Amino acid sequence: MVGGFKNGLVVAEGLIAHGRGEAFDYLIGEKTTRPAKSAIKAAAAMLLLSKRPVISVNGNAAALCPKDFVQLAEITGAGIEVNLFYRTSERETAIKAELEKHGAKNVLGVGPRASAKIPELQSQRRRVDPDGIFIADTVLVPLEDGDRTEALVKMGKRVITVDLNPMSRTARKAHVTIVDNLVRAMPAMVKQARKLKGKNKKQLQKIVDDFDSKKNLSKSLKIIRRGM
Ligand code: PTJ
C-alpha cells in the first residue's frame, strides 16, 4: 500500500481506509473465515451467471491485487473499470497502466469514457463508463463507500463487495458481502470461479439462491464478538 501510495495509485485517505480494514482483520483472526468462504463461492457463481458483469477498481484495489482482477475478469467475462472517489487523470492513467501491466486489455472508465452518471451520487464516484458499470447487471465493488453501493442497488444492479467491516453501509447494502481481506479474498474468488466455470446455470443459480447475505453477515459479527 505504501508502494502504491508512492507510485500514485493510492491516495493518503486510502492508507487510512486500509488501517481501518486491518483493525477488523485482527478481529477476524487474519484468515478467511467459513462465512467468507461461502460468500466467495456465491460471488463467483453470481459473476458467472451474469450477462454483463463489471469489476470496479479503485486505488487501494489496484495496489493490492491487480493480477487477481485481471484473472477474474478473464474467467467470468467481466469488464474492468476504473472508478475513483478522488478522481484525477494522473491516477486514472496510473491505475489503467497497472492493470494493463498484468494483462488487462480494455480498461473501462478512463478519461472521456467515464461519461455516464449514476443518479443521486454527488462524489466523483458517480462518473461511470456507459459501456461498463452503467449497463452492468452485476458489479463487484471492493473496498467501497456506502453511497455508491446504495445507488447501484437502486439502479437494479446486483452488488458484490469485499469489506472487512461487516457493519459498514456497503456491507449491509450489497447482495453478497465477503468479510475478508481483499488480498485473501481475491485469489480465493479466482480459484472458485475456475472451479465453478464447468457447472451449469441451474447449479450456479442454486449456489446463489442458497446464499443468505444477512445470515452470513451476522455469522461474521459473531466471530468478531467471540474474538476468534
Ligand atoms: O482510490 P479512491 O480515490 O477511489 O479512494 C478509495 C478509498 C479507499 C479512499 C475510499 O473508497 C474510502 O475512503 O473507503 P472507505 O469509506 O474507508 O471504505 C473502505 C472499507 O473497506 C472500510 O470499511 C474498510 O474497513 C474496508 N477495508 C480496508 N482495507 C481493506 C478493507 N476491506 C477488505 N480488504 C482490505 N484490504
Side-chain angles (χ1 to χ4, degrees), residues 1 9-22 24-25 57-61 64 83-87 91 95 125 142-146 162-166 168 170 178-183:
M1 284 295 290
L9 300 174
V10 175
V11 277
E13 291 82 350
L15 295 178
I16 297 170
H18 189 73
R20 273 198 289 275
E22 276 187 340
F24 281 99
D25 206 9
V57 178
N58 66 15
N60 287 40
L64 289 173
N83 184 268
L84 302 174
F85 194 91
Y86 302 99
R87 194 184 271 270
R91 289 189 70 218
I95 292 166
R125 280 237 197 271
L143 283 167
E144 184 58 62
D145 68 283
V162 184
D163 192 330
L164 277 159
N165 177 2
S168 78
T170 293
I178 301 160
V179 180
D180 197 13
N181 198 319
L182 198 63
V183 297

mmCIF file of all heavy atoms in Angstrom, residues 1 9-22 24-25 57-61 64 83-87 91 95 125 142-146 162-166 168 170 178-183, ligand 1:
data_model
loop_
_atom_site.group_PDB
_atom_site.id
_atom_site.type_symbol
_atom_site.label_atom_id
_atom_site.label_comp_id
_atom_site.label_asym_id
_atom_site.label_seq_id
_atom_site.Cartn_x
_atom_site.Cartn_y
_atom_site.Cartn_z
ATOM 1 N N MET A 1 0.830 -1.207 0.000
ATOM 2 C CA MET A 1 0.000 0.000 0.000
ATOM 3 C C MET A 1 0.866 1.260 0.000
ATOM 4 O O MET A 1 0.557 2.221 -0.693
ATOM 5 C CB MET A 1 -0.912 -0.003 1.245
ATOM 6 C CG MET A 1 -2.081 -0.935 1.134
ATOM 7 S SD MET A 1 -3.213 -0.449 -0.167
ATOM 8 C CE MET A 1 -3.895 1.030 0.526
ATOM 9 N N LEU A 9 -0.909 5.431 -7.177
ATOM 10 C CA LEU A 9 -2.165 4.664 -7.324
ATOM 11 C C LEU A 9 -3.115 4.997 -6.173
ATOM 12 O O LEU A 9 -4.321 5.171 -6.362
ATOM 13 C CB LEU A 9 -1.889 3.153 -7.285
ATOM 14 C CG LEU A 9 -0.959 2.542 -8.335
ATOM 15 C CD1 LEU A 9 -0.707 1.078 -8.016
ATOM 16 C CD2 LEU A 9 -1.582 2.665 -9.713
ATOM 17 N N VAL A 10 -2.542 5.058 -4.970
ATOM 18 C CA VAL A 10 -3.332 5.182 -3.735
ATOM 19 C C VAL A 10 -3.282 6.616 -3.225
ATOM 20 O O VAL A 10 -2.235 7.266 -3.307
ATOM 21 C CB VAL A 10 -2.744 4.223 -2.668
ATOM 22 C CG1 VAL A 10 -3.429 4.380 -1.328
ATOM 23 C CG2 VAL A 10 -2.819 2.771 -3.143
ATOM 24 N N VAL A 11 -4.421 7.096 -2.688
ATOM 25 C CA VAL A 11 -4.433 8.426 -2.054
ATOM 26 C C VAL A 11 -4.145 8.262 -0.554
ATOM 27 O O VAL A 11 -4.292 7.161 -0.007
ATOM 28 C CB VAL A 11 -5.806 9.135 -2.219
ATOM 29 C CG1 VAL A 11 -5.919 9.826 -3.552
ATOM 30 C CG2 VAL A 11 -6.962 8.192 -1.980
ATOM 31 N N ALA A 12 -3.783 9.360 0.103
ATOM 32 C CA ALA A 12 -3.493 9.309 1.546
ATOM 33 C C ALA A 12 -4.706 8.755 2.303
ATOM 34 O O ALA A 12 -4.557 7.956 3.236
ATOM 35 C CB ALA A 12 -3.134 10.701 2.043
ATOM 36 N N GLU A 13 -5.901 9.137 1.870
ATOM 37 C CA GLU A 13 -7.128 8.641 2.515
ATOM 38 C C GLU A 13 -7.232 7.127 2.386
ATOM 39 O O GLU A 13 -7.816 6.451 3.224
ATOM 40 C CB GLU A 13 -8.377 9.287 1.882
ATOM 41 C CG GLU A 13 -8.547 10.762 2.159
ATOM 42 C CD GLU A 13 -7.714 11.663 1.222
ATOM 43 O OE1 GLU A 13 -6.853 11.132 0.483
ATOM 44 O OE2 GLU A 13 -7.935 12.880 1.244
ATOM 45 N N GLY A 14 -6.653 6.589 1.318
ATOM 46 C CA GLY A 14 -6.668 5.140 1.096
ATOM 47 C C GLY A 14 -5.826 4.412 2.131
ATOM 48 O O GLY A 14 -6.159 3.289 2.532
ATOM 49 N N LEU A 15 -4.735 5.059 2.566
ATOM 50 C CA LEU A 15 -3.895 4.440 3.603
ATOM 51 C C LEU A 15 -4.681 4.363 4.916
ATOM 52 O O LEU A 15 -4.613 3.362 5.639
ATOM 53 C CB LEU A 15 -2.607 5.248 3.804
ATOM 54 C CG LEU A 15 -1.637 5.299 2.611
ATOM 55 C CD1 LEU A 15 -0.438 6.177 2.950
ATOM 56 C CD2 LEU A 15 -1.166 3.903 2.225
ATOM 57 N N ILE A 16 -5.435 5.407 5.191
ATOM 58 C CA ILE A 16 -6.239 5.419 6.429
ATOM 59 C C ILE A 16 -7.325 4.341 6.334
ATOM 60 O O ILE A 16 -7.559 3.586 7.275
ATOM 61 C CB ILE A 16 -6.868 6.816 6.654
ATOM 62 C CG1 ILE A 16 -5.757 7.856 6.842
ATOM 63 C CG2 ILE A 16 -7.804 6.813 7.852
ATOM 64 C CD1 ILE A 16 -6.231 9.290 6.832
ATOM 65 N N ALA A 17 -7.953 4.256 5.168
ATOM 66 C CA ALA A 17 -9.002 3.238 4.965
ATOM 67 C C ALA A 17 -8.416 1.836 5.151
ATOM 68 O O ALA A 17 -9.051 0.945 5.723
ATOM 69 C CB ALA A 17 -9.610 3.385 3.565
ATOM 70 N N HIS A 18 -7.192 1.654 4.693
ATOM 71 C CA HIS A 18 -6.534 0.345 4.828
ATOM 72 C C HIS A 18 -6.321 0.012 6.311
ATOM 73 O O HIS A 18 -6.536 -1.129 6.733
ATOM 74 C CB HIS A 18 -5.197 0.369 4.088
ATOM 75 C CG HIS A 18 -4.554 -0.976 3.991
ATOM 76 N ND1 HIS A 18 -5.025 -1.958 3.163
ATOM 77 C CD2 HIS A 18 -3.484 -1.500 4.647
ATOM 78 C CE1 HIS A 18 -4.264 -3.036 3.299
ATOM 79 N NE2 HIS A 18 -3.330 -2.790 4.195
ATOM 80 N N GLY A 19 -5.924 1.039 7.081
ATOM 81 C CA GLY A 19 -5.734 0.836 8.524
ATOM 82 C C GLY A 19 -7.035 0.427 9.199
ATOM 83 O O GLY A 19 -7.051 -0.466 10.061
ATOM 84 N N ARG A 20 -8.128 1.065 8.771
ATOM 85 C CA ARG A 20 -9.448 0.676 9.315
ATOM 86 C C ARG A 20 -9.709 -0.797 9.021
ATOM 87 O O ARG A 20 -10.158 -1.549 9.879
ATOM 88 C CB ARG A 20 -10.563 1.494 8.631
ATOM 89 C CG ARG A 20 -10.860 2.811 9.268
ATOM 90 C CD ARG A 20 -12.219 3.325 8.814
ATOM 91 N NE ARG A 20 -12.242 3.769 7.423
ATOM 92 C CZ ARG A 20 -11.872 4.988 7.037
ATOM 93 N NH1 ARG A 20 -11.454 5.861 7.914
ATOM 94 N NH2 ARG A 20 -11.909 5.333 5.767
ATOM 95 N N GLY A 21 -9.404 -1.185 7.811
ATOM 96 C CA GLY A 21 -9.608 -2.578 7.424
ATOM 97 C C GLY A 21 -8.752 -3.521 8.251
ATOM 98 O O GLY A 21 -9.232 -4.551 8.743
ATOM 99 N N GLU A 22 -7.497 -3.156 8.444
ATOM 100 C CA GLU A 22 -6.578 -4.030 9.196
ATOM 101 C C GLU A 22 -7.066 -4.283 10.615
ATOM 102 O O GLU A 22 -6.907 -5.380 11.151
ATOM 103 C CB GLU A 22 -5.177 -3.420 9.226
ATOM 104 C CG GLU A 22 -4.368 -3.749 7.983
ATOM 105 C CD GLU A 22 -2.922 -3.286 8.071
ATOM 106 O OE1 GLU A 22 -2.625 -2.399 8.886
ATOM 107 O OE2 GLU A 22 -2.109 -3.820 7.296
ATOM 108 N N PHE A 24 -10.092 -4.535 11.612
ATOM 109 C CA PHE A 24 -11.108 -5.608 11.551
ATOM 110 C C PHE A 24 -10.477 -6.945 11.212
ATOM 111 O O PHE A 24 -10.941 -7.990 11.663
ATOM 112 C CB PHE A 24 -12.199 -5.254 10.527
ATOM 113 C CG PHE A 24 -13.192 -4.275 11.060
ATOM 114 C CD1 PHE A 24 -13.102 -2.930 10.751
ATOM 115 C CD2 PHE A 24 -14.209 -4.690 11.908
ATOM 116 C CE1 PHE A 24 -13.997 -2.020 11.271
ATOM 117 C CE2 PHE A 24 -15.119 -3.787 12.426
ATOM 118 C CZ PHE A 24 -15.014 -2.435 12.111
ATOM 119 N N ASP A 25 -9.401 -6.911 10.426
ATOM 120 C CA ASP A 25 -8.748 -8.167 10.060
ATOM 121 C C ASP A 25 -8.212 -8.872 11.316
ATOM 122 O O ASP A 25 -8.313 -10.095 11.447
ATOM 123 C CB ASP A 25 -7.619 -7.905 9.050
ATOM 124 C CG ASP A 25 -7.325 -9.122 8.180
ATOM 125 O OD1 ASP A 25 -8.105 -10.102 8.253
ATOM 126 O OD2 ASP A 25 -6.337 -9.113 7.429
ATOM 127 N N VAL A 57 -12.548 -0.953 -10.013
ATOM 128 C CA VAL A 57 -11.238 -0.922 -9.347
ATOM 129 C C VAL A 57 -10.900 0.498 -8.887
ATOM 130 O O VAL A 57 -10.898 1.431 -9.694
ATOM 131 C CB VAL A 57 -10.134 -1.457 -10.307
ATOM 132 C CG1 VAL A 57 -8.769 -1.393 -9.637
ATOM 133 C CG2 VAL A 57 -10.439 -2.885 -10.741
ATOM 134 N N ASN A 58 -10.624 0.648 -7.590
ATOM 135 C CA ASN A 58 -10.150 1.947 -7.080
ATOM 136 C C ASN A 58 -8.652 1.852 -6.789
ATOM 137 O O ASN A 58 -8.009 0.846 -7.106
ATOM 138 C CB ASN A 58 -10.982 2.390 -5.859
ATOM 139 C CG ASN A 58 -10.788 1.461 -4.659
ATOM 140 O OD1 ASN A 58 -9.862 0.652 -4.608
ATOM 141 N ND2 ASN A 58 -11.665 1.572 -3.688
ATOM 142 N N GLY A 59 -8.110 2.893 -6.182
ATOM 143 C CA GLY A 59 -6.662 2.940 -5.955
ATOM 144 C C GLY A 59 -6.168 1.825 -5.051
ATOM 145 O O GLY A 59 -5.176 1.151 -5.366
ATOM 146 N N ASN A 60 -6.867 1.619 -3.923
ATOM 147 C CA ASN A 60 -6.437 0.572 -2.987
ATOM 148 C C ASN A 60 -6.463 -0.795 -3.657
ATOM 149 O O ASN A 60 -5.535 -1.594 -3.527
ATOM 150 C CB ASN A 60 -7.367 0.533 -1.763
ATOM 151 C CG ASN A 60 -7.147 1.702 -0.834
ATOM 152 O OD1 ASN A 60 -6.942 2.816 -1.308
ATOM 153 N ND2 ASN A 60 -7.182 1.475 0.457
ATOM 154 N N ALA A 61 -7.547 -1.064 -4.368
ATOM 155 C CA ALA A 61 -7.717 -2.374 -5.012
ATOM 156 C C ALA A 61 -6.611 -2.600 -6.047
ATOM 157 O O ALA A 61 -6.022 -3.681 -6.121
ATOM 158 C CB ALA A 61 -9.092 -2.454 -5.658
ATOM 159 N N LEU A 64 -3.380 -3.477 -4.313
ATOM 160 C CA LEU A 64 -3.325 -4.734 -3.550
ATOM 161 C C LEU A 64 -3.328 -5.992 -4.424
ATOM 162 O O LEU A 64 -2.607 -6.933 -4.144
ATOM 163 C CB LEU A 64 -4.490 -4.803 -2.550
ATOM 164 C CG LEU A 64 -4.398 -3.843 -1.357
ATOM 165 C CD1 LEU A 64 -5.679 -3.898 -0.540
ATOM 166 C CD2 LEU A 64 -3.202 -4.170 -0.470
ATOM 167 N N ASN A 83 -12.784 3.224 -11.153
ATOM 168 C CA ASN A 83 -13.777 4.113 -10.557
ATOM 169 C C ASN A 83 -13.203 4.673 -9.272
ATOM 170 O O ASN A 83 -12.866 3.928 -8.362
ATOM 171 C CB ASN A 83 -15.085 3.366 -10.290
ATOM 172 C CG ASN A 83 -16.146 4.311 -9.775
ATOM 173 O OD1 ASN A 83 -16.296 4.477 -8.577
ATOM 174 N ND2 ASN A 83 -16.855 4.945 -10.675
ATOM 175 N N LEU A 84 -13.048 5.987 -9.236
ATOM 176 C CA LEU A 84 -12.322 6.604 -8.119
ATOM 177 C C LEU A 84 -13.154 7.621 -7.367
ATOM 178 O O LEU A 84 -13.911 8.386 -7.971
ATOM 179 C CB LEU A 84 -11.061 7.300 -8.650
ATOM 180 C CG LEU A 84 -10.085 6.401 -9.400
ATOM 181 C CD1 LEU A 84 -8.962 7.226 -9.999
ATOM 182 C CD2 LEU A 84 -9.535 5.333 -8.494
ATOM 183 N N PHE A 85 -12.962 7.619 -6.055
ATOM 184 C CA PHE A 85 -13.586 8.647 -5.221
ATOM 185 C C PHE A 85 -12.819 9.948 -5.418
ATOM 186 O O PHE A 85 -13.399 10.999 -5.631
ATOM 187 C CB PHE A 85 -13.531 8.198 -3.757
ATOM 188 C CG PHE A 85 -14.411 8.999 -2.855
ATOM 189 C CD1 PHE A 85 -15.709 8.594 -2.623
ATOM 190 C CD2 PHE A 85 -13.947 10.155 -2.245
ATOM 191 C CE1 PHE A 85 -16.542 9.340 -1.801
ATOM 192 C CE2 PHE A 85 -14.762 10.896 -1.423
ATOM 193 C CZ PHE A 85 -16.067 10.491 -1.193
ATOM 194 N N TYR A 86 -11.485 9.848 -5.364
ATOM 195 C CA TYR A 86 -10.628 11.026 -5.554
ATOM 196 C C TYR A 86 -10.069 10.942 -6.974
ATOM 197 O O TYR A 86 -8.952 10.498 -7.174
ATOM 198 C CB TYR A 86 -9.515 11.048 -4.510
ATOM 199 C CG TYR A 86 -10.044 11.042 -3.090
ATOM 200 C CD1 TYR A 86 -10.111 9.861 -2.343
ATOM 201 C CD2 TYR A 86 -10.517 12.214 -2.500
ATOM 202 C CE1 TYR A 86 -10.610 9.855 -1.046
ATOM 203 C CE2 TYR A 86 -11.032 12.206 -1.204
ATOM 204 C CZ TYR A 86 -11.070 11.027 -0.491
ATOM 205 O OH TYR A 86 -11.584 11.020 0.783
ATOM 206 N N ARG A 87 -10.893 11.326 -7.956
ATOM 207 C CA ARG A 87 -10.513 11.113 -9.349
ATOM 208 C C ARG A 87 -9.610 12.228 -9.883
ATOM 209 O O ARG A 87 -9.945 13.399 -9.774
ATOM 210 C CB ARG A 87 -11.782 11.026 -10.217
ATOM 211 C CG ARG A 87 -11.542 10.475 -11.602
ATOM 212 C CD ARG A 87 -12.822 10.522 -12.417
ATOM 213 N NE ARG A 87 -13.652 9.328 -12.300
ATOM 214 C CZ ARG A 87 -13.565 8.267 -13.090
ATOM 215 N NH1 ARG A 87 -12.651 8.226 -14.036
ATOM 216 N NH2 ARG A 87 -14.395 7.266 -12.938
ATOM 217 N N ARG A 91 -4.164 9.705 -11.701
ATOM 218 C CA ARG A 91 -4.465 8.427 -11.021
ATOM 219 C C ARG A 91 -5.164 7.456 -11.960
ATOM 220 O O ARG A 91 -4.873 6.263 -11.964
ATOM 221 C CB ARG A 91 -5.333 8.674 -9.770
ATOM 222 C CG ARG A 91 -4.564 9.346 -8.646
ATOM 223 C CD ARG A 91 -5.391 9.362 -7.393
ATOM 224 N NE ARG A 91 -5.538 8.034 -6.822
ATOM 225 C CZ ARG A 91 -6.652 7.571 -6.256
ATOM 226 N NH1 ARG A 91 -7.737 8.320 -6.196
ATOM 227 N NH2 ARG A 91 -6.696 6.369 -5.742
ATOM 228 N N ILE A 95 -3.554 3.789 -12.712
ATOM 229 C CA ILE A 95 -4.275 2.553 -12.377
ATOM 230 C C ILE A 95 -4.510 1.718 -13.645
ATOM 231 O O ILE A 95 -4.342 0.500 -13.649
ATOM 232 C CB ILE A 95 -5.589 2.883 -11.626
ATOM 233 C CG1 ILE A 95 -5.233 3.461 -10.240
ATOM 234 C CG2 ILE A 95 -6.484 1.655 -11.487
ATOM 235 C CD1 ILE A 95 -6.364 4.129 -9.512
ATOM 236 N N ARG A 125 -17.325 9.406 -7.745
ATOM 237 C CA ARG A 125 -17.708 8.015 -7.964
ATOM 238 C C ARG A 125 -18.908 7.893 -8.900
ATOM 239 O O ARG A 125 -19.176 6.825 -9.436
ATOM 240 C CB ARG A 125 -18.101 7.365 -6.632
ATOM 241 C CG ARG A 125 -16.947 6.929 -5.782
ATOM 242 C CD ARG A 125 -17.094 5.451 -5.504
ATOM 243 N NE ARG A 125 -16.268 5.009 -4.399
ATOM 244 C CZ ARG A 125 -15.016 4.594 -4.548
ATOM 245 N NH1 ARG A 125 -14.466 4.589 -5.728
ATOM 246 N NH2 ARG A 125 -14.339 4.174 -3.512
ATOM 247 N N PRO A 142 -14.944 -3.750 -4.672
ATOM 248 C CA PRO A 142 -14.151 -3.987 -3.478
ATOM 249 C C PRO A 142 -13.842 -2.677 -2.766
ATOM 250 O O PRO A 142 -13.644 -1.659 -3.430
ATOM 251 C CB PRO A 142 -12.868 -4.619 -4.019
ATOM 252 C CG PRO A 142 -12.841 -4.382 -5.472
ATOM 253 C CD PRO A 142 -14.156 -3.847 -5.908
ATOM 254 N N LEU A 143 -13.814 -2.684 -1.447
ATOM 255 C CA LEU A 143 -13.408 -1.502 -0.673
ATOM 256 C C LEU A 143 -14.200 -0.266 -1.053
ATOM 257 O O LEU A 143 -13.662 0.710 -1.548
ATOM 258 C CB LEU A 143 -11.942 -1.182 -0.980
ATOM 259 C CG LEU A 143 -10.871 -2.003 -0.351
ATOM 260 C CD1 LEU A 143 -9.554 -1.742 -1.005
ATOM 261 C CD2 LEU A 143 -10.790 -1.664 1.114
ATOM 262 N N GLU A 144 -15.465 -0.311 -0.803
ATOM 263 C CA GLU A 144 -16.345 0.711 -1.376
ATOM 264 C C GLU A 144 -16.911 1.634 -0.303
ATOM 265 O O GLU A 144 -16.976 1.281 0.859
ATOM 266 C CB GLU A 144 -17.486 -0.041 -2.082
ATOM 267 C CG GLU A 144 -18.449 0.792 -2.816
ATOM 268 C CD GLU A 144 -17.819 1.638 -3.892
ATOM 269 O OE1 GLU A 144 -17.244 1.091 -4.828
ATOM 270 O OE2 GLU A 144 -17.922 2.869 -3.792
ATOM 271 N N ASP A 145 -17.335 2.829 -0.702
ATOM 272 C CA ASP A 145 -18.059 3.676 0.253
ATOM 273 C C ASP A 145 -19.562 3.425 0.090
ATOM 274 O O ASP A 145 -20.022 3.038 -0.980
ATOM 275 C CB ASP A 145 -17.714 5.161 0.054
ATOM 276 C CG ASP A 145 -18.247 5.689 -1.238
ATOM 277 O OD1 ASP A 145 -17.627 5.393 -2.277
ATOM 278 O OD2 ASP A 145 -19.300 6.336 -1.233
ATOM 279 N N GLY A 146 -20.281 3.621 1.195
ATOM 280 C CA GLY A 146 -21.682 3.213 1.257
ATOM 281 C C GLY A 146 -22.600 3.834 0.223
ATOM 282 O O GLY A 146 -23.494 3.176 -0.306
ATOM 283 N N VAL A 162 -16.247 -6.647 -1.144
ATOM 284 C CA VAL A 162 -15.293 -7.245 -0.195
ATOM 285 C C VAL A 162 -15.006 -6.147 0.821
ATOM 286 O O VAL A 162 -14.500 -5.089 0.457
ATOM 287 C CB VAL A 162 -13.981 -7.673 -0.888
ATOM 288 C CG1 VAL A 162 -13.055 -8.370 0.106
ATOM 289 C CG2 VAL A 162 -14.259 -8.572 -2.092
ATOM 290 N N ASP A 163 -15.401 -6.366 2.062
ATOM 291 C CA ASP A 163 -15.246 -5.316 3.080
ATOM 292 C C ASP A 163 -15.001 -5.981 4.434
ATOM 293 O O ASP A 163 -15.821 -6.782 4.894
ATOM 294 C CB ASP A 163 -16.517 -4.447 3.111
ATOM 295 C CG ASP A 163 -16.321 -3.171 3.930
ATOM 296 O OD1 ASP A 163 -15.515 -3.184 4.881
ATOM 297 O OD2 ASP A 163 -16.986 -2.173 3.610
ATOM 298 N N LEU A 164 -13.875 -5.648 5.045
ATOM 299 C CA LEU A 164 -13.543 -6.265 6.333
ATOM 300 C C LEU A 164 -14.462 -5.822 7.463
ATOM 301 O O LEU A 164 -14.524 -6.465 8.501
ATOM 302 C CB LEU A 164 -12.077 -5.949 6.689
ATOM 303 C CG LEU A 164 -11.051 -6.878 6.041
ATOM 304 C CD1 LEU A 164 -9.666 -6.242 6.006
ATOM 305 C CD2 LEU A 164 -10.997 -8.218 6.754
ATOM 306 N N ASN A 165 -15.178 -4.727 7.256
ATOM 307 C CA ASN A 165 -16.096 -4.253 8.295
ATOM 308 C C ASN A 165 -17.520 -4.720 7.991
ATOM 309 O O ASN A 165 -18.183 -4.165 7.110
ATOM 310 C CB ASN A 165 -16.041 -2.715 8.349
ATOM 311 C CG ASN A 165 -17.020 -2.157 9.360
ATOM 312 O OD1 ASN A 165 -17.717 -2.913 10.046
ATOM 313 N ND2 ASN A 165 -17.077 -0.831 9.453
ATOM 314 N N PRO A 166 -18.013 -5.727 8.717
ATOM 315 C CA PRO A 166 -19.357 -6.249 8.403
ATOM 316 C C PRO A 166 -20.476 -5.277 8.770
ATOM 317 O O PRO A 166 -21.621 -5.507 8.425
ATOM 318 C CB PRO A 166 -19.435 -7.527 9.261
ATOM 319 C CG PRO A 166 -18.460 -7.326 10.359
ATOM 320 C CD PRO A 166 -17.377 -6.428 9.848
ATOM 321 N N SER A 168 -20.316 -1.946 7.962
ATOM 322 C CA SER A 168 -20.317 -0.772 7.083
ATOM 323 C C SER A 168 -21.604 -0.757 6.255
ATOM 324 O O SER A 168 -22.262 -1.780 6.077
ATOM 325 C CB SER A 168 -19.102 -0.797 6.155
ATOM 326 O OG SER A 168 -19.319 -1.702 5.091
ATOM 327 N N THR A 170 -21.870 -0.300 3.112
ATOM 328 C CA THR A 170 -21.665 -1.127 1.920
ATOM 329 C C THR A 170 -21.929 -2.593 2.243
ATOM 330 O O THR A 170 -22.655 -3.281 1.516
ATOM 331 C CB THR A 170 -20.219 -0.969 1.406
ATOM 332 O OG1 THR A 170 -20.069 0.356 0.933
ATOM 333 C CG2 THR A 170 -19.909 -1.939 0.299
ATOM 334 N N ILE A 178 -18.391 -10.104 1.153
ATOM 335 C CA ILE A 178 -17.313 -11.001 1.587
ATOM 336 C C ILE A 178 -16.527 -10.264 2.677
ATOM 337 O O ILE A 178 -15.852 -9.266 2.385
ATOM 338 C CB ILE A 178 -16.397 -11.358 0.394
ATOM 339 C CG1 ILE A 178 -17.201 -12.049 -0.717
ATOM 340 C CG2 ILE A 178 -15.228 -12.229 0.859
ATOM 341 C CD1 ILE A 178 -16.541 -12.002 -2.087
ATOM 342 N N VAL A 179 -16.675 -10.727 3.920
ATOM 343 C CA VAL A 179 -15.955 -10.076 5.027
ATOM 344 C C VAL A 179 -14.581 -10.732 5.130
ATOM 345 O O VAL A 179 -14.402 -11.749 5.803
ATOM 346 C CB VAL A 179 -16.750 -10.171 6.351
ATOM 347 C CG1 VAL A 179 -15.983 -9.482 7.489
ATOM 348 C CG2 VAL A 179 -18.132 -9.550 6.189
ATOM 349 N N ASP A 180 -13.650 -10.191 4.382
ATOM 350 C CA ASP A 180 -12.309 -10.771 4.332
ATOM 351 C C ASP A 180 -11.358 -9.718 3.779
ATOM 352 O O ASP A 180 -11.792 -8.742 3.158
ATOM 353 C CB ASP A 180 -12.318 -12.001 3.398
ATOM 354 C CG ASP A 180 -11.104 -12.904 3.610
ATOM 355 O OD1 ASP A 180 -10.382 -12.727 4.618
ATOM 356 O OD2 ASP A 180 -10.886 -13.795 2.770
ATOM 357 N N ASN A 181 -10.064 -9.942 3.975
ATOM 358 C CA ASN A 181 -9.084 -9.037 3.390
ATOM 359 C C ASN A 181 -9.048 -9.272 1.879
ATOM 360 O O ASN A 181 -8.998 -10.428 1.427
ATOM 361 C CB ASN A 181 -7.702 -9.297 4.001
ATOM 362 C CG ASN A 181 -6.760 -8.127 3.757
ATOM 363 O OD1 ASN A 181 -6.737 -7.547 2.668
ATOM 364 N ND2 ASN A 181 -6.004 -7.783 4.772
ATOM 365 N N LEU A 182 -9.045 -8.191 1.151
ATOM 366 C CA LEU A 182 -9.036 -8.294 -0.313
ATOM 367 C C LEU A 182 -7.887 -9.187 -0.810
ATOM 368 O O LEU A 182 -8.058 -9.930 -1.779
ATOM 369 C CB LEU A 182 -8.884 -6.880 -0.892
ATOM 370 C CG LEU A 182 -9.265 -6.683 -2.344
ATOM 371 C CD1 LEU A 182 -10.735 -6.961 -2.567
ATOM 372 C CD2 LEU A 182 -8.935 -5.266 -2.785
ATOM 373 N N VAL A 183 -6.745 -9.113 -0.125
ATOM 374 C CA VAL A 183 -5.582 -9.888 -0.596
ATOM 375 C C VAL A 183 -5.773 -11.399 -0.428
ATOM 376 O O VAL A 183 -5.095 -12.181 -1.078
ATOM 377 C CB VAL A 183 -4.249 -9.448 0.063
ATOM 378 C CG1 VAL A 183 -3.908 -8.014 -0.287
ATOM 379 C CG2 VAL A 183 -4.273 -9.644 1.562
HETATM 380 O O1 PTJ B 1 -8.998 5.199 -4.704
HETATM 381 P P1 PTJ B 1 -10.180 6.071 -4.392
HETATM 382 O O2 PTJ B 1 -9.941 7.517 -4.776
HETATM 383 O O3 PTJ B 1 -11.449 5.572 -5.014
HETATM 384 O O4 PTJ B 1 -10.416 6.051 -2.781
HETATM 385 C C1 PTJ B 1 -10.620 4.809 -2.161
HETATM 386 C C2 PTJ B 1 -10.865 4.879 -0.644
HETATM 387 C C3 PTJ B 1 -10.458 3.538 -0.038
HETATM 388 C C4 PTJ B 1 -10.038 6.011 -0.041
HETATM 389 C C5 PTJ B 1 -12.365 5.130 -0.385
HETATM 390 O O5 PTJ B 1 -13.121 4.168 -1.072
HETATM 391 C C6 PTJ B 1 -12.699 5.078 1.102
HETATM 392 O O6 PTJ B 1 -12.466 6.019 1.861
HETATM 393 O O7 PTJ B 1 -13.276 3.943 1.516
HETATM 394 P P2 PTJ B 1 -13.920 3.745 2.993
HETATM 395 O O8 PTJ B 1 -15.178 4.529 3.095
HETATM 396 O O9 PTJ B 1 -12.875 3.923 4.043
HETATM 397 O O10 PTJ B 1 -14.313 2.226 2.926
HETATM 398 C C7 PTJ B 1 -13.355 1.227 2.824
HETATM 399 C C8 PTJ B 1 -13.858 -0.017 3.545
HETATM 400 O O11 PTJ B 1 -13.002 -1.089 3.195
HETATM 401 C C9 PTJ B 1 -13.823 0.084 5.080
HETATM 402 O O12 PTJ B 1 -14.994 -0.491 5.622
HETATM 403 C C10 PTJ B 1 -12.578 -0.744 5.488
HETATM 404 O O13 PTJ B 1 -12.764 -1.390 6.724
HETATM 405 C C11 PTJ B 1 -12.508 -1.769 4.360
HETATM 406 N N1 PTJ B 1 -11.145 -2.209 4.027
HETATM 407 C C12 PTJ B 1 -9.981 -1.520 4.094
HETATM 408 N N2 PTJ B 1 -8.945 -2.272 3.676
HETATM 409 C C13 PTJ B 1 -9.450 -3.474 3.297
HETATM 410 C C14 PTJ B 1 -10.864 -3.436 3.517
HETATM 411 N N3 PTJ B 1 -11.648 -4.487 3.227
HETATM 412 C C15 PTJ B 1 -11.057 -5.592 2.682
HETATM 413 N N4 PTJ B 1 -9.727 -5.694 2.460
HETATM 414 C C16 PTJ B 1 -8.886 -4.662 2.737
HETATM 415 N N5 PTJ B 1 -7.586 -4.777 2.482
#
